[in-house]
Amino acid sequence: VIFEDRSDAPSSDEDGISNGMAFFARNLQYLETPQYLRKQLVPVHKDLKWVGLLAPLDAPHHLRKHEHLPYREGVVLQKGWPAPTEDEKGCWVNCGLPEPVWLRGKEIASDVRVTVRLEDAEAASTTSGSLRGRGRGRGGRGRGSGEVQRGVAVEPSEPRTKSGLYWGFQTRLAKSLKAVFEECPFERYDLTIGTSERGEILGLGRLPKFQHLLVAFGGLGGFEEVIADERSGYDAATDP
């Protein structure tokens, strides 16, 4: 969660938020997106000028072509190419493999990111025939008579809930510190920890059980300075 902590922060006319929030959001989006999907999903922007200096996440969902997992992130390719079999419902998806994957059962708009469960993960890097010989660019692929790698679209949380895999993060923008809590995607954060040089040291053994933990980082002046700003949404006398 990225939150605005200053009422005088320069605003971005392009994004409707502060320049600082827009910068962080774009760079986090770039880092989280698998490398083989960035060209299609992340537009070129001046905020990303130095993104090559950032350390890569190398997360489990950033698979290389030769690596195998039951799941892959993909993006739907442009329409206009035939299905593997006549009248079969579905769409072609770039999953970072040598050839696109046929996502069966659903027709999804182009350029939409999807989480794909491969029907045969071991075949993911060896599919051939019908997809070979026409390129793998933005919507291009070959045709022939060989086997096609197929998959199904699943919830982005499935790799985590069913296989225990870390599968990336989502970035939420909050226009104030108060909005961080009021716009929580869960019923509530049942444990919140704020960092401050004026706080106390907490060891892991002192943490209670929780389902949704929020660790909040303030600026150089700590949360006292954040709350004192009218942008926070709290009374300036509130004790962090």
Side-chain angles (χ1 to χ4, degrees), residues 55-62 64 67:
L57 293 184
D58 202 22
H61 66 303
H62 288 206
R64 296 165 180 82
E67 295 177 321

mmCIF file of all heavy atoms in Angstrom, residues 55-62 64 67:
data_model
loop_
_atom_site.group_PDB
_atom_site.id
_atom_site.type_symbol
_atom_site.label_atom_id
_atom_site.label_comp_id
_atom_site.label_asym_id
_atom_site.label_seq_id
_atom_site.Cartn_x
_atom_site.Cartn_y
_atom_site.Cartn_z
ATOM 1 N N ALA A 55 17.020 -4.262 -8.523
ATOM 2 C CA ALA A 55 17.286 -5.700 -8.406
ATOM 3 C C ALA A 55 16.040 -6.487 -8.791
ATOM 4 O O ALA A 55 14.939 -6.162 -8.344
ATOM 5 C CB ALA A 55 17.700 -6.038 -6.977
ATOM 6 N N PRO A 56 16.165 -7.510 -9.635
ATOM 7 C CA PRO A 56 14.990 -8.301 -10.017
ATOM 8 C C PRO A 56 14.434 -9.079 -8.841
ATOM 9 O O PRO A 56 15.178 -9.478 -7.933
ATOM 10 C CB PRO A 56 15.528 -9.241 -11.104
ATOM 11 C CG PRO A 56 16.993 -9.349 -10.806
ATOM 12 C CD PRO A 56 17.401 -8.013 -10.256
ATOM 13 N N LEU A 57 13.110 -9.306 -8.845
ATOM 14 C CA LEU A 57 12.488 -10.078 -7.770
ATOM 15 C C LEU A 57 12.858 -11.553 -7.843
ATOM 16 O O LEU A 57 13.021 -12.216 -6.825
ATOM 17 C CB LEU A 57 10.956 -9.952 -7.847
ATOM 18 C CG LEU A 57 10.339 -8.596 -7.558
ATOM 19 C CD1 LEU A 57 8.820 -8.708 -7.588
ATOM 20 C CD2 LEU A 57 10.784 -8.068 -6.208
ATOM 21 N N ASP A 58 12.932 -12.088 -9.067
ATOM 22 C CA ASP A 58 13.172 -13.518 -9.270
ATOM 23 C C ASP A 58 12.181 -14.343 -8.462
ATOM 24 O O ASP A 58 12.541 -15.340 -7.820
ATOM 25 C CB ASP A 58 14.617 -13.883 -8.890
ATOM 26 C CG ASP A 58 15.068 -15.179 -9.554
ATOM 27 O OD1 ASP A 58 14.468 -15.554 -10.582
ATOM 28 O OD2 ASP A 58 16.005 -15.823 -9.052
ATOM 29 N N ALA A 59 10.918 -13.915 -8.470
ATOM 30 C CA ALA A 59 9.857 -14.594 -7.724
ATOM 31 C C ALA A 59 9.421 -15.863 -8.462
ATOM 32 O O ALA A 59 9.710 -16.038 -9.649
ATOM 33 C CB ALA A 59 8.667 -13.647 -7.552
ATOM 34 N N PRO A 60 8.718 -16.775 -7.778
ATOM 35 C CA PRO A 60 8.297 -18.030 -8.428
ATOM 36 C C PRO A 60 7.482 -17.829 -9.693
ATOM 37 O O PRO A 60 7.538 -18.670 -10.602
ATOM 38 C CB PRO A 60 7.463 -18.713 -7.340
ATOM 39 C CG PRO A 60 8.032 -18.199 -6.062
ATOM 40 C CD PRO A 60 8.400 -16.772 -6.327
ATOM 41 N N HIS A 61 6.697 -16.718 -9.791
ATOM 42 C CA HIS A 61 5.885 -16.533 -10.993
ATOM 43 C C HIS A 61 6.664 -15.867 -12.120
ATOM 44 O O HIS A 61 6.121 -15.655 -13.202
ATOM 45 C CB HIS A 61 4.624 -15.724 -10.668
ATOM 46 C CG HIS A 61 4.868 -14.305 -10.266
ATOM 47 N ND1 HIS A 61 5.672 -13.950 -9.210
ATOM 48 C CD2 HIS A 61 4.408 -13.131 -10.774
ATOM 49 C CE1 HIS A 61 5.689 -12.636 -9.075
ATOM 50 N NE2 HIS A 61 4.939 -12.119 -10.018
ATOM 51 N N HIS A 62 7.951 -15.587 -11.911
ATOM 52 C CA HIS A 62 8.822 -15.068 -12.968
ATOM 53 C C HIS A 62 9.586 -16.235 -13.590
ATOM 54 O O HIS A 62 10.816 -16.278 -13.571
ATOM 55 C CB HIS A 62 9.784 -14.032 -12.406
ATOM 56 C CG HIS A 62 9.137 -12.734 -12.054
ATOM 57 N ND1 HIS A 62 9.807 -11.537 -12.029
ATOM 58 C CD2 HIS A 62 7.857 -12.432 -11.720
ATOM 59 C CE1 HIS A 62 8.985 -10.552 -11.692
ATOM 60 N NE2 HIS A 62 7.793 -11.089 -11.488
ATOM 61 N N ARG A 64 11.252 -18.866 -16.209
ATOM 62 C CA ARG A 64 11.938 -18.858 -17.493
ATOM 63 C C ARG A 64 11.363 -19.967 -18.363
ATOM 64 O O ARG A 64 10.617 -20.814 -17.896
ATOM 65 C CB ARG A 64 13.439 -19.020 -17.282
ATOM 66 C CG ARG A 64 14.046 -17.836 -16.520
ATOM 67 C CD ARG A 64 15.447 -18.134 -15.994
ATOM 68 N NE ARG A 64 16.004 -17.001 -15.263
ATOM 69 C CZ ARG A 64 15.746 -16.718 -13.998
ATOM 70 N NH1 ARG A 64 14.919 -17.506 -13.304
ATOM 71 N NH2 ARG A 64 16.274 -15.668 -13.409
ATOM 72 N N GLU A 67 11.767 -23.585 -17.141
ATOM 73 C CA GLU A 67 11.344 -23.922 -15.784
ATOM 74 C C GLU A 67 9.895 -24.385 -15.759
ATOM 75 O O GLU A 67 9.067 -23.878 -16.520
ATOM 76 C CB GLU A 67 11.543 -22.711 -14.866
ATOM 77 C CG GLU A 67 13.006 -22.331 -14.705
ATOM 78 C CD GLU A 67 13.197 -21.090 -13.860
ATOM 79 O OE1 GLU A 67 12.392 -20.150 -13.983
ATOM 80 O OE2 GLU A 67 14.168 -21.056 -13.085
#
